[in-house]
Amino acid sequence: MTGIDDLLEKTSRTFALSIPRLPEPTRMEVTVAYLLFRIADTFEDAVFWEPARRIDALGQFCTLLGNPDPSEADLLARVWREPRPLAHQGYLELLDAAPYVLEAFRMLAPTARTVIASHVIRSARGMAEFVGRTEDGTLQLRSLNELRDYCYVVAGIVGEMLCDLFLLDRGALIAVSGPLRERAACFGEGLQLVNILKDSASDRTEGRSYLPTGVSRADVFGLARSDLRAAAEYVLILQREGAPRGIVEFTALPVQLATASLDRIERSGPGAKISRLELFRIVATLEKALNRGEPAVPRGSAGPDESRSMEPLPPRRRR
């Protein structure tokens, strides 16, 4: 049987790099949660299926999360592979391994299961809503607000779930739970916006146009940078309040990689990626900063003095 860590490596390069830095039990909780979100993402992105089939699969998955019955998981795993929903081999292997992932989910602590299930189900239902907007084989977002709503559904909710898991049994962080939760969605949304800008050309060939017509790319870049600034504040709050180093590393690394990627995309256009050498440099710089007790993200990325005095963000609409 394919192992949990093997599935992670086959479905996400960034999170396969950052999740192992987390302390237990958060590491296993986040690994399993990521794979569950990735199953839902696979249904949303199922380019070989009609929208109705994708919506049905998302609904079946939500029901299964509410009652993770092993025999039902085995049955659905076979149903979901015929016909195959997409071409990505790692995602197909993940669908085959869905019963194994559900079993790993069942083995988590009850409090973690409750947190993960509620957020994954919210996200999957939101994905189904957007899949239902597909017209003539294409999903076209039409405004900046609609783009923000989409990013919240597929990534902002992930950020909120991570925050809830970080707060479990960590009383030292309870005093800053408000500022953390205010910024948690931005952590996920910023990463998603960078991916949308990077993949905009290839997404169009698969019937997805997430960049709204009539909205300038400059506005989308501005939104991404705003979210990443809030994400940097989130990291600095965790670091300032003494969160375990693994949690600080886990949150800081994707923010730094996304910021570097956004700079590259802005210079070179869709499809541009940071080099492996630059990735290694960012990882090494982060580790040196933490070893020296320095900020995990550059203070400039959070704005002047924002790591010490951070104003509340406007409330977000929860789905």
Side-chain angles (χ1 to χ4, degrees):
M1 174 62 72
T2 301
I4 288 289
D5 290 337
D6 186 46
L7 288 169
L8 181 63
E9 290 179 5
K10 290 178 177 178
T11 54
S12 173
R13 286 176 299 220
T14 298
F15 284 109
L17 185 64
S18 59
I19 286 177
R21 299 167 187 271
L22 288 166
E24 293 291 3
T26 309
R27 178 182 183 274
M28 179 56 69
E29 292 163 358
V30 173
T31 301
V32 172
Y34 169 78
L35 293 174
L36 293 173
F37 274 107
R38 184 63 260 178
I39 290 172
D41 288 339
T42 299
F43 297 141
E44 186 213 354
D45 296 338
V47 293
F48 298 161
W49 287 356
E50 292 296 317
R53 175 74 188 276
R54 291 150 64 187
I55 292 170
D56 283 346
L58 286 164
Q60 292 165 345
F61 184 54
C62 288
T63 300
L64 188 60
L65 277 173
N67 180 26
D69 177 76
S71 59
E72 185 69 11
D74 286 335
L75 173 63
L76 287 174
R78 293 193 294 272
V79 169
W80 292 333
R81 279 298 301 270
E82 298 297 338
R84 62 178 185 160
L86 36 62
H88 192 292
Q89 187 57 38
Y91 300 163
L92 294 176
E93 288 186 34
L94 177 58
L95 290 187
D96 280 340
Y100 176 60
V101 177
L102 264 293
E103 183 59 25
F105 170 69
R106 278 161 39 93
M107 298 299 292
L108 298 177
T111 50
R113 286 203 310 270
T114 298
V115 167
I116 292 168
S118 65
H119 289 298
V120 175
I121 289 171
R122 281 202 303 135
S123 182
R125 287 174 175 165
M127 290 178 191
E129 179 183 321
F130 276 96
V131 170
R133 301 184 194 184
T134 303
E135 297 179 0
D136 299 324
T138 300
L139 172 63
Q140 173 65 69
L141 301 185
R142 304 188 185 281
S143 69
L144 200 59
N145 282 338
E146 196 170 42
L147 174 60
R148 291 194 71 194
D149 286 345
Y150 174 77
C151 287
Y152 176 70
V153 161
V154 301
I157 289 174
V158 179
E160 291 176 341
M161 180 209 68
L162 290 171
C163 186
D164 286 346
L165 291 178
F166 296 162
L167 290 169
L168 285 179
D169 300 319
R170 293 192 174 94
L173 296 178
I174 296 301
V176 291
S177 60
L180 287 173
R181 286 197 165 105
E182 288 167 2
R183 292 160 173 81
C186 293
F187 175 79
E189 290 174 8
L191 306 185
Q192 183 66 26
L193 282 167
V194 172
N195 285 335
I196 285 174
L197 287 161
K198 174 174 64 69
D199 298 334
S200 58
S202 58
D203 282 339
R204 279 196 301 272
T205 67
E206 296 184 348
R208 300 186 295 268
S209 294
Y210 297 124
L211 295 179
T213 55
V215 174
S216 73
R217 282 183 177 260
D219 287 342
V220 180
F221 274 98
L223 178 58
R225 293 198 183 280
S226 175
D227 273 346
L228 290 177
R229 282 194 296 273
E233 295 172 1
Y234 178 80
V235 174
L236 293 173
I237 294 171
L238 286 167
Q239 186 179 20
R240 182 190 68 200
E241 297 301 320
R245 173 169 169 154
I247 288 179
V248 176
E249 285 187 278
F250 168 81
T251 51
L253 184 55
V255 172
Q256 292 218 34
L257 293 175
T259 301
S261 296
L262 191 62
D263 292 340
R264 180 63 58 88
I265 297 163
E266 198 161 26
R267 290 195 305 269
S268 304
K273 300 177 181 179
I274 63 173
S275 68
R276 187 174 294 272
L277 181 62
E278 189 171 4
L279 185 152
F280 289 151
R281 180 187 62 76
I282 290 170
V283 171
T285 300
L286 171 60
E287 290 178 349
K288 287 179 182 177
L290 293 177
N291 288 340
R292 295 169 179 168
E294 297 170 355
V297 291
R299 291 193 187 278
S301 63
D305 297 325
E306 285 181 277
S307 61
R308 290 190 296 271
S309 177
M310 302 176 186
E311 294 300 321
L313 300 179
R316 304 188 61 83
R317 177 170 65 87
R318 289 176 64 92
R319 298 180 70 87

